[in-house]
Amino acid sequence: MNDCVLVKSYPYPPVNQKEILRYSGCKNSTDELCLLIEKCTSESCNKLVFKVCYREFNITVENDVVDFGFMKVPSSDLCKNLCKCNKAIVFCATVGIELDRLIKKYERIAPSKAIMLHAFGSERVEALCDAFCDDIKAEYDNFNINCCTRFSPGYGDFDIKFQKDIFRALEISKNIGVSLNKNLFMTPSKSVTAIIGLKEK
Amino acid sequence: MNFREFLKNNIVIFDGGLGTLLQKQGLKAGEHPETWNISHAGIVQKIHTDYFNAGSNIVNTNTFGANKLNFASDELETIIKAAVENVKIARDNCVANQPKFIALDIGPTGKLLKPFGDFDFEEAVEVFAETVKLGVKYGVDLIYIETMSDSYETKAAVLAAKENCDLPIIASNAYGEDGKLMTGASPEAMVAMLEGLGVDAIGANCSLGPKQLRPIVDKLLKCSSLPVMLKPNAGLPKIIDGKTVYDINVDEFADEVLSAINSGVRIVGGCCGTTPEYIRKVSQKTIGAKPIDIKEKNITCVSSYTHVVEFGKQPILIGERINPTGKKRFKQALVEHDIDYILNEGINQQEKGVHILDVNVGLPEIDEPELLKTAVCELQAIINLPLQIDTSDIKAMESALRVYNGKAMINSVNGKQESMHSVFPLVKKYGGLVVALTLDENGIPSTAEGRVKIAEKILKTAENYGISKKDIIFDTLAMTISADTSAPIATLGSMREIRERLGCNTSLGVSNISFGLPNRDFVNSVFYASALENGLSAAIMNPYSLEMMKTYYAYRAIHNLDSNCADYIVFASGVEISENKAVSVTNKADENYNSDLQKAIIKGLKELSGEITSELIKAHNPLDIVTDEIIPALDIVGKGFEKKEVYLPQLLMSAEAAKSAFEIIKSNMQTVSKNDKATVVIATVKGDIHDIGKNIVKLLLENYGFNVIDLGKDVSPDAILKTVVENNAPLVGLSALMTTTVPAMEETVKLIKEKAPYCKTVVGGAVLTEDYARKIGADKYAKDAMETVRYAEEICR
């Protein structure tokens, strides 16, 4: 079990254009939309980072409460997700602040690009989470341990206020530069925190 | 001996990791280590003592996160008092006899500063100031600002220290594997900013091991005229058999550190994963190591939050377009507080290839300190070029320098006593490269010698303020040849002398040379070439001028400053294309569209819309273009959106295309008249920092000819009401994205209903519903931007 927070950097995950369209609210593609996506991806691709920090914790799941040691989360949805798990990985993934700068720039001068960059960022950070989860799955498979689907604060009845505890426990700001504002929003905005339950096969 | 004295002639050994050792003693994830100063004082003292015994000259207080964001003020004082006491006890208990100092440890707050986070710069200064004051009160010897991954937060911490004590300051950053801070700064940029702020040493710590930090430290050594510190982790953490192990052992670590010392590093220590054993080894290996003399690097540069721009090697272009002088449209933008217009000028100049942006927002009728500060903040949020703060208002200069994220260029000081005594203290406090005009109380000397004499006087006065000549750049004043054709002799002569004899860099507002002449570019570009031959380092110029850009690229190509003429080729081939490209406008583009312009707008082709409009306007009445072309095209797209056949990004692309057509029309109208349609005030309500939805509404309303006053985000009910009343606005649009800010929206709606009952309220945003809108008393809920436009048309008609 890792008793400290580890940081990993990933190479550029493959892009899924359909997902970008979906996040931007477009049902069909047109030449102009494809061109817009192409402009957004080429302008931002070398500005992104793909960083994850994570740590494993012993957990207990009892009476609809999950105890991580550093936080006790009353949530029946999380309990369902972590059913029969005695450990969990808590992680935060981000694509970095530069995308926020680009979005901010285009919000002012070309909102269409800003919207598309938002969509692109959402697709990127989810792709990063997928890459990370695949890694963890492969790693724990060696020890005969199954990984549950990742579950984030804000899903179901998992209160988003636990972001504060997660941020402190993983020292996320220091490790990968993601910080939490008063309203519990993350900056860089294209960041995800989540929990992966671990259970023996 | 005080620390500054000791640092002059010695290698300084810092302590090693503390957090990792406390974790081994039982500190839990998420627990504040600072509370252990009281609850586990014995353990903390033991670790401090071990470091002193291992040979540390400096031991840090256990106060990394001791600030008023984490602790109430009386608790904070108790913690810092105990933390300093713990190191004092350790120092007294230590058996070794090296000189020993106590550093107040200050780590980052974990919050990100505005505009991307919600932490205000001045608030950050205040938070750090509180910690500094307490550290000083309880007797630390120096301030150690560490593990900062953001240049802006580093500046806040250093300012707080400078403003509250005279103790030595070591400022150290956490660099990533890409060699930069998380918010983008290079080591060179950090040196430029931190030297300017007057710290005593600059360093790199945490994040990586000594091997990975070495290239970063080498960069610091190359450009820093101050002592450099290296305080790395014990390599990178790995999990072996379920335990965390750092991958560099004690011997390897000490060897790496010794090698850094031999390259010039002056202060060494360890960060995460290092223990007293690491420090003992470092201390043993460095016995007898001779500190290497630190040389003055004499680099003339400015920096942004990402990079430095150095003067003297390549000609530097300073974009002059953010300046209202002689620009009607720009003045209008300033009066209307249209920041987007300023940002556009910045972005366009960056695309043209300038290295620095001059920022001048001086107009008699505006609050310049406030507007200059806003302009600097907004520009540096989205453009990574260094800025030249251009103002004669000292208050405005200070307010802008204070919030500037880097080392700014300052325009300007001159040889008048009054000017020097008001500008130099600011340069000393905030750092900066200041443009010095060679004029004084007696005016502008007509001879080169006279101007050089003033330059010498300026250098001398600067030296008295502790400002070195590398931070002064001289402008020998270009004067128009239309009044006196001999004027350039003194300008160029003094420039050459200043460059060659005084060894200083020079800058020039090139285009003044042609004032009053026709086709000024012809003269400007030739004068620019002459100035470059006479040693001009930087030109304040118009990057949209093709003649000037031709000179710039050609000069570099023929002076061996552009290898393989690569830049010239890119530039010159681009010019060919744009000169050959002509837009042909037909009345019927293809069967599906009524005209070329309508097609361009419907397809969302921004550049093309602008180009077609430029052609159309030669033969058509501007207002006819609006009513016959733009509005019908927008209506087609708007209807498609309402029918869900067109999606939001497409709607926006069309709106942007229409906007670019409007800009052409606006700039071609004889007088910029207020729109005949009504004024709509829009804002994101107090507490909410999201504004993309509101910006979309703004764009569409403008498209439909409304006069939009955008108050931005996080706007108080009173401010909104004030604007509504002042403009007698019939409609106000409010946006809120978060449930937590809907009460602020309700409060605003109520206030407007009460004090300005003639004004209708339309609300929107992710969390709102028709029901909710009714409940808070709004007149209208708009589910999207188009619906807001339709409503505005309905009530303003």
Side-chain angles (χ1 to χ4, degrees), chain B residues 238-252:
Chain B
K238 287 196 174 127
I239 307 298
I240 294 172
D241 297 334
K243 282 261 172 276
T244 310
V245 183
Y246 282 86
D247 70 358
I248 290 220
N249 68 30
V250 172
D251 279 302
E252 283 173 283

Side-chain angles (χ1 to χ4, degrees), chain B residues 310-381:
Chain B
E310 199 181 327
F311 293 73
K313 291 182 176 159
Q314 286 269 358
I316 300 300
L317 301 177
I318 305 173
E320 69 178 11
R321 301 295 298 174
I322 303 180
N323 189 325
T325 313
K327 301 188 196 90
K328 201 169 49 189
R329 178 73 186 89
F330 199 100
K331 280 183 189 159
Q332 183 197 3
L334 287 184
V335 173
E336 289 170 2
H337 216 90
D338 183 357
I339 300 291
D340 291 5
Y341 190 86
I342 299 177
L343 293 179
N344 254 314
E345 282 290 354
I347 291 164
N348 291 338
Q349 291 184 88
Q350 180 173 34
E351 280 167 6
K352 289 285 177 195
V354 303
H355 307 105
I356 296 169
L357 292 175
D358 183 80
V359 186
N360 182 324
V361 295
L363 267 191
E365 65 262 47
I366 60 154
D367 177 357
E368 195 182 340
E370 199 47 48
L371 188 58
L372 188 59
K373 179 175 150 186
T374 307
V376 164
C377 289
E378 296 274 2
L379 284 163
Q380 70 186 2

